[in-house]
Every structure is written in structure tokens, then in C-alpha cells.
Amino acid sequence: MKTLIDTLRHHHELKPAQYRALLMTRDSQVVEYLMTQAREVAQAHYGTGIYLRGLIELSNMCRNDCLYCGIRRSNRHVSRYTLTREQVLACCEQGYKLGFRTFVLQGGEWGEERSQWIADLVSDIRRGWPDCAITLSLGEHPRETYAMWREAGANRYLLRHETHNERLYGLLHPRGMTIGHRLQCLEWLKELGYQVGAGIMVGSPFQSLASMVEDIQYLVQFKPQMIGIGPFIPQHDTPLARFPAGSVDMTARLYAIMRLALPWSLIPSTTAMATLSPDGRLRGILAGANVVMPNLSPEDHRKQYALYDNKAALGAESAQGIQALDNELSTIGYHIDWSRGDSPNW
Ligand code: SAM
């Protein structure tokens, strides 16, 4: 098994059965070896610095109805909000003072009639903080919309593909949403010159090892600059409320595998990791992740962006808790890297 990990480290690819063996193994020494190799590769490329992204949860209004998501359209228990332009700019102002050099605007998916409003907002942020990266994570849109936002000054786009497997995609999403269209969006984003992030939820209902292997293979072939992977966590008002959460261990294995497959990628240790376990964020970093995305949203709206139950938004997960985060990182020999943190092979 260690030979497999060495092969992945040096050739950046394995056969499907070999990925499967790495995901399945119960041998703790093999898992530890995988983590050590991933850490070494992350440190060889990025040192022990962890990049920060300031997450601004723009709106929980969504036209989609993804079965796992707490802000899905048909969840009537959500009190809906959209930040005003002034509120978003105030988040950027505060974030910039705290030292953030990337702002991530994430939200539910809106209709195209609001796309110009987003473009204007992106232009305002670009003008106000010209040295910062602007990342959007606003779902699926026509190519022209992505082009308009890019033109307005957006640099990066996060759009998890969620699962590459067509059948599983169908089980997690309403009729009308297809993996084919999701992948098409990712292609457009890449063509338009965005730094692109793709990725999955780990342990989502009906997911199999085979589908995870398919996801690894897709990511290896698509080569996104950013890889967003987090455990599935149930939300009590969704149709998938009764399913168990995914595991921190399996998510960490995927971070490690992706770090070895795509050494230069930017991999966040996600909020869902921190939500599931007090040491989840650090375990992600020890598996080769090199990004953390503290929450910069106005505090009175954070509870309304409840994608899943008990979502962490305070302490080291919040922009205001940045010192706590730095302290936490220092316990494992890491520190915050305050630079903008673009992928160097970009
Ligand atoms: N609307 C945009 C989109 O679909 O890409 C961005 C917002 S969406 C809420 C951001 C991510 O949250 C999704 O890509 C999904 O992977 C994650 N998410 C949603 N519900 C989740 C859950 N129950 N557990 C874990 N992650 C979840």
C-alpha cells in the first residue's frame, strides 16, 4: 500500500482500484503514511503558511432545490435575506482591516435578472480593494453571465461538482439539474480565465466508494486550481435529514489523495470539518489542506445561512476570531499566511 502512495506522490495518478484501496484501508499505518506524504507535498509547495479567504454569505435566497441543502427553495422554515451592497462593502472594509486579501461571495443561486447587480457589486469591490482577489460561488449561470462577472473583476469561482456520477447526482438534486450542465459551467469558467474550484460532499446519502473514485478521476483530469471537499452534514428541514453525516476521516483521506494528485492545488479545510469535530480543521491541514475560510458575514445573518445543522460560524471559524485561529494553527506548527494566495502555477 505504501508503494501505491509513493506512486501517487511521484506520478500524480493511480488506477481506479488503487484509489479504492486507499479509501478502504483500515490499516492505520497506511493512513498515517498517506497523511505524512500529503503534508510533505503541501509544505514543499506552500510551506507551513495557511491562506485565508474571507467568506461573505451574500444571500440565502435560492432558486434551486438540492435535496441536501438547508437553504433549498422549498424549505419554508428559512427566513430569507440578501445583504445590501453597503453591507457587503462593510464586510470587505472590515475584512481588509483584519488582513484578508481574498473575499468570497457565496450564496444561493439567483435568476439572471439579478446578474447585473452582482456585476456592479463586483466592480465596487474591485475598485475599493484593487489588491484583493474576488471569488464568487453563486451556482450555475449562462456563459455570458460568468463573462460579465469576470469582466467586472472577479478572479476565482467555486462550483463544487458535488458528484460526477450521473445517477447519484440525480438522487441528490431535483429534476432538471444535471451533472452534464454543472460540468459545462466548470468548463466555461475555466475558458473565461477564472481560477476554478470543483469538489464534492463526502458521505452524502447513496454515495459509494466507486462514485468517490469517479470524482477523484474527474478532478485529476479537470485539474481545478481549488478543490472544495467537505463532509455531508444533515439539515433537519431537508428530505435527507435522517441520513448520517459523512466522516472527517474519509474527508481527510480525500484531501491527502488530492494533494498528492494535484500538488499545487489550493485545498480548504472546510467549515463542515470544523463543525463535525473540534479538531476537524486541524486534521484537514494535517492531511495537506492549505486554506481556511473564516466567516466575514454580518453576525446577525450567520444563523440564516444554515446549509446544515450546527454550522460553525464563531470562534476560530469567524473572521473576528482570527487570533484564535492563528493560535490553533501554531499548535501543529502552522501559521496564517497573509498573502493573497493565488495558485503559483496559474
Ligand atoms: N449555490 C452555490 C452552489 O450551489 O454552488 C453556492 C452555495 S452552496 C450552498 C455551497 C456548497 O454548500 C455546496 O456546493 C454544497 O456542497 C455545500 N452544502 C450544501 N448543503 C450541505 C450539507 N447539508 N452538508 C454539507 N455541505 C453542504
Side-chain angles (χ1 to χ4, degrees), residues 101-119:
R101 294 296 176 269
T102 293
F103 303 121
V104 181
L105 295 186
Q106 194 190 79
E109 197 175 287
W110 291 353
E112 297 317 312
E113 67 284 356
R114 307 288 313 274
S115 297
Q116 184 62 52
W117 187 84
I118 302 276

Side-chain angles (χ1 to χ4, degrees), residues 51-56 91-92 94-96 98-105 125-126 129-136 155-158 195 226 266 291-296 319 337-343:
Y51 294 131
L52 292 187
R53 315 312 192 193
L55 180 63
I56 302 171
C91 291
C92 296
Q94 189 196 16
Y96 194 86
L98 287 166
F100 286 84
R101 294 296 176 269
T102 293
F103 303 121
V104 181
L105 295 186
I125 300 174
R126 175 56 56 238
W129 296 275
D131 54 329
C132 290
I134 303 173
T135 305
L136 300 179
N155 313 89
R156 307 178 185 149
Y157 205 102
L158 300 175
Q195 294 179 43
M226 303 173 283
L266 294 154
V291 174
V292 174
M293 298 171 65
N295 200 317
L296 256 184
D337 180 328
W338 290 102
S339 62
R340 196 174 116 132
D342 288 294
S343 174

